[in-house]
Amino acid sequence: EFEGRAMVVGVDISRDEKVAEKMQVKGVPHFTIFQQGKPVFHDEGYSPATQSQLEEEIRRRIGKDI
């Protein structure tokens, strides 16, 4: 649905602890949405609602510069 309009990237925080520290990761999984290079949304942990919440947040921002 978001192909060409949004990008999903995974980071192994055990191999790159500086990224985890910079992004203030306290739990895994950790999701951050960036807009124009700045974090605009984050969530940690997983529940059945997490995926739909992230998809809705991306949809809300997709019309803006992602």
Side-chain angles (χ1 to χ4, degrees), residues 12-60:
D12 183 346
I13 61 170
S14 64
R15 297 179 86 187
D16 196 343
E17 294 176 7
K18 289 181 181 181
V19 170
E21 183 179 324
K22 182 177 180 178
M23 297 306 303
Q24 301 177 358
V25 174
K26 305 292 184 212
V28 178
H30 178 96
F31 305 96
T32 302
I33 296 175
F34 291 86
Q35 192 167 13
Q36 297 179 344
K38 297 179 182 179
V40 294
F41 173 86
H42 76 270
D43 193 19
E44 291 184 339
Y46 183 81
S47 71
T50 303
Q51 182 173 347
S52 61
Q53 179 185 8
L54 287 171
E55 289 173 355
E56 183 58 34
E57 191 65 29
I58 292 169
R59 276 189 206 95
R60 222 171 53 76

